[in-house]
Amino acid sequence: MLEGKITLPEGMRVAVSPIPQMPPTAQQTEPKIVIEPGNLPYVRGGIPGTWTLPGERIAQIFADEDIETMKDLWNVTS
């Protein structure tokens, strides 16, 4: 059975394949930004596709990471 108001021309060839069931989802966790030195930051948790990490925020994370690295090199306290 096709869902919605889909009509196809009489005699049209179609292919039908089953959609596998989605595995039960684990309890969703609160989204958080994961920052690992030397790697791109990413979002962990939440529902995929609902939270974005804009370029401006990534640039700020890299700038903060660079500042912390320089402080370590110069032995400067925060």
Side-chain angles (χ1 to χ4, degrees):
M1 302 274 307
L2 297 175
E3 294 180 6
K5 294 184 178 187
I6 299 173
T7 57
L8 300 171
E10 186 66 34
M12 175 181 257
R13 292 179 54 147
V14 297
V16 178
S17 57
I19 298 174
Q21 283 188 323
M22 299 274 297
T25 57
Q27 184 128 15
Q28 295 296 328
T29 59
E30 188 68 27
K32 77 175 210 173
I33 298 174
V34 177
I35 302 170
E36 298 170 342
N39 294 320
L40 285 173
Y42 60 94
V43 176
R44 176 181 289 154
I47 299 170
T50 61
W51 213 70
T52 58
L53 187 57
E56 294 82 20
R57 179 66 179 118
I58 293 172
Q60 182 61 47
I61 290 168
F62 281 144
D64 293 347
E65 185 178 291
D66 289 343
I67 290 169
E68 289 303 314
T69 300
M70 295 307 289
K71 285 179 182 178
D72 290 344
L73 293 174
W74 295 337
N75 295 321
V76 176
T77 57
S78 296

